C-alpha cells in the first residue's frame, strides 16, 4: 500500500479564487446580455428617470425620488453652479461632467436628483448607473447617442479599488478614449473621497516603485477628468438647526422652537453626526410622533 504525503490546502485562498471566477463569469454573461440591449424611444417620452440593471437593461422608474431643492439648505453656491452647468447642457451648449464629493448625508445625491424638477420638461433624463456596471458604458452611450433627449448618467457613491472593472471605461468616456463622447450624455457622480481611488502611504515610498509619482498620478487622473468638482463639507450646529427649523416650518409642525432645538440636538447626539440627512430623519420621526399623538 502506497503512502501519499499529506496535502496542505489553503481553503480560504481556494474559496477566494472560486468566488473571483464566479464574478468573472457573471461579468462575461452581463456583457453578452448588454450587447443585445434595444432601447424603445417611447420610454423617454413617458418617463424621466431610469436605472441600468445588472442584466444590461434600461428600466424606467415609475416613481422617481425628485427632491425639492428648496429643502437643500447650506449649499446654495453648489446648487447654483450645478444648475448653470445643467442649463448649458439641456440648451445644447458645451457643459462638463461633474463630481460631487465630500461628507456623507450633506445632499450630494439630492442635489443631482433635484435637477429633474427644473429641467425634465426641457428634455433632461436621469439614468442611475451602479459602479459595478460601468463596463456597460460603451453599450449605454451607443443606445443613448441617437435619442433626442439630454441624459445625465448618475453614479452614486462612486469609488474604485485597483482591481475593479469599469475604471478604464469611465476614464475613456470622461476624456481619453478614441470614440468621441456623445454630446447628449454627461456623467454626474457622487463620492465620499475626492480622488475616487485609495492612495496608500506605500505608494509614496521610494522602494515601492521606481517612479512612485506615476502611480499616484494614475489615481488622480480619473477625478481630474471631471470638468467640475464640487465639495460638500461638514455642517456646524447652527446650520444643522437652521435646516431643522426650515423643514419643520415647511411641514407646519406644532412644536415650540425651544423644544424643537432641544430634541434636534439630542437626535444628532445619538446619531453622532450633524448633516442634512440627519436633520431630515429627525423631522420624519418628529412628524410621525406628532401625527400619532394627534390621532389618539
Amino acid at each position: 500500500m502506497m503512502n501519499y504525503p499529506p496535502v496542505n490546502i489553503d481553503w480560504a485562498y481556494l474559496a477566494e479564487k472560486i468566488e473571483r471566477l464566479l464574478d468573472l463569469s457573471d461579468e462575461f454573461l452581463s456583457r453578452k446580455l448588454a450587447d443585445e440591449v434595444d432601447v424603445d424611444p417611447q420610454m423617454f417620452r413617458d418617463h424621466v428617470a431610469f436605472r441600468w440593471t445588472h442584466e444590461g437593461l434600461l428600466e424606467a422608474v415609475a416613481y422617481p425620488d425628485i427632491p425639492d431643492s428648496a429643502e437643500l439648505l447650506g449649499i446654495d453656491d453648489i446648487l447654483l453652479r450645478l444648475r448653470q452647468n445643467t442649463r448649458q447642457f439641456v440648451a445644447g451648449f458645451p457643459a462638463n461632467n461633474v463630481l460631487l464629493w465630500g461628507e456623507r448625508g450633506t445632499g450630494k445625491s439630492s442635489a443631482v436628483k433635484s435637477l429633474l424638477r427644473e429641467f425634465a420638461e426641457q428634455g433632461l433624463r436621469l439614468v442611475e448607473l451602479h459602479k459595478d456596471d460601468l463596463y456597460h458604458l460603451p453599450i449605454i452611450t451607443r443606445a443613448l447617442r441617437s435619442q433626442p433627449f439630454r441624459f445625465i448618467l448618475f453614479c452614486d457613491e462612486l469609488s474604485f479599488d485597483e482591481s475593479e472593472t469599469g475604471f478604464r471605461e469611465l476614464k475613456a468616456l470622461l476624456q481619453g478614449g478614441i470614440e468621441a463622447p456623445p454630446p447628449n450624455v454627461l456623467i454626474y457622480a457622487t463620492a465620499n473621497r475626492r480622488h475616487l481611488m485609495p492612495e496608500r502611504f506605500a505608494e509614496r515610498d521610494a522602494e515601492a516603485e521606481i517612479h512612485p509619482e506615476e502611480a499616484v498620478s494614475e489615481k488622480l487622473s480619473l477625478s481630474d477628468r471631471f470638468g467640475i468638482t464640487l465639495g460638500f463639507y461638514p455642517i456646524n450646529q447652527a446650520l444643522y438647526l437652521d435646516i431643522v427649523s426650515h423643514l419643520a416650518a415647511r411641514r407646519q409642525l406644532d412644536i415650540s422652537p425651544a423644544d424643537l432645538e432641544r430634541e434636534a440636538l439630542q437626535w444628532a447626539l445619538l446619531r453622532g453626526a450633524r448633516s442634512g440627512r440627519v436633520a431630515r430623519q429627525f423631522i420624519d420621526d418628529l412628524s410621525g410622533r406628532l401625527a400619532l399623538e394627534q390621532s389618539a
Side-chain angles (χ1 to χ4, degrees):
M1 181 177 181
M2 298 183 64
N3 292 324
Y4 293 97
V7 178
N8 294 323
I9 299 177
D10 187 341
W11 292 106
Y13 175 79
L14 183 60
E16 180 182 348
K17 287 300 182 183
I18 293 175
E19 183 177 358
R20 177 59 179 157
L21 286 173
L22 291 174
D23 289 342
L24 289 173
S25 64
D26 288 342
E27 178 184 325
F28 175 76
L29 179 58
S30 296
R31 287 176 183 266
K32 297 301 289 183
L33 290 172
D35 287 341
E36 303 170 3
V37 69
D38 185 21
V39 174
D40 180 6
Q42 183 61 39
M43 68 190 304
F44 301 124
R45 302 184 185 94
D46 298 337
H47 302 277
V48 298
F50 307 84
R51 67 168 63 91
W52 185 266
T53 69
H54 294 308
E55 293 76 23
L57 300 174
L58 190 62
E59 179 181 85
V61 177
Y63 304 98
D65 175 23
I66 306 178
D68 186 347
S69 60
E71 296 189 357
L72 302 177
L73 299 186
I75 56 172
D76 294 346
D77 291 342
I78 291 175
L79 290 175
L80 185 64
R81 188 70 185 92
L82 192 63
R83 288 196 197 102
Q84 177 61 38
N85 189 69
T86 307
R87 190 174 295 112
Q88 294 169 205
F89 178 53
V90 298
F93 301 130
N96 277 289
N97 299 293
V98 181
L99 174 63
L100 303 90
W101 66 276
E103 287 292 311
R104 67 187 190 278
T106 49
K108 300 184 295 294
S109 301
S110 296
V112 175
K113 292 185 291 185
S114 71
L115 295 171
L116 281 177
R117 188 176 294 272
E118 181 176 352
F119 296 107
E121 291 187 359
Q122 301 177 42
L124 183 67
R125 299 294 181 262
L126 194 66
V127 179
E128 185 179 46
L129 176 63
H130 195 272
K131 72 168 187 175
D132 291 341
D133 298 320
L134 284 173
Y135 59 82
H136 285 155
L137 275 173
I139 307 300
I140 298 172
T141 55
R142 185 158 61 244
L144 300 181
R145 184 184 289 270
S146 60
Q147 301 299 326
F149 294 90
R150 295 278 161 170
F151 297 94
I152 289 177
L153 300 184
F154 175 43
C155 303
D156 199 18
E157 297 185 0
L158 189 63
S159 65
F160 292 100
D161 288 325
E162 292 86 343
S163 60
E164 287 189 89
T165 59
F167 174 66
R168 301 293 177 183
E169 285 82 354
L170 181 56
K171 284 183 64 176
L173 178 61
L174 290 171
Q175 279 179 353
I178 193 170
E179 182 178 2
N184 63 333
V185 176
L186 285 180
I187 291 182
Y188 284 13
T190 71
N192 291 332
R193 56 190 177 199
R194 169 70 175 82
H195 293 128
L196 300 178
M197 295 185 69
E199 184 180 353
R200 301 180 175 88
F201 283 108
E203 292 168 350
R204 300 180 181 272
D205 188 345
E207 296 180 359
E209 191 172 324
I210 296 177
H211 300 289
E213 69 281 357
E214 294 182 359
V216 175
S217 178
E218 170 71 8
K219 292 178 179 295
L220 302 184
S221 65
L222 178 58
S223 58
D224 285 346
R225 280 172 163 77
F226 288 90
I228 297 174
T229 57
L230 303 172
F232 289 68
Y233 301 97
I235 66 175
N236 56 31
Q237 179 172 298
L239 180 54
Y240 169 71
L241 291 175
D242 284 345
I243 295 174
V244 168
S245 178
H246 178 76
L247 295 178
R250 287 179 65 89
R251 299 196 189 185
Q252 301 180 334
L253 299 184
D254 185 16
I255 184 173
S256 70
D259 288 340
L260 179 66
E261 179 176 321
R262 176 178 52 80
E263 292 195 31
L265 291 176
Q266 289 178 347
W267 182 274
L269 183 62
L270 291 173
R271 292 298 306 274
R274 290 190 301 260
S275 69
R277 178 185 298 162
V278 171
R280 176 177 292 279
Q281 290 169 343
F282 164 68
I283 291 296
D284 286 342
D285 178 77
L286 180 61
S287 301
R289 286 190 285 115
L290 292 177
L292 194 60
E293 290 174 3
Q294 293 173 1
S295 65

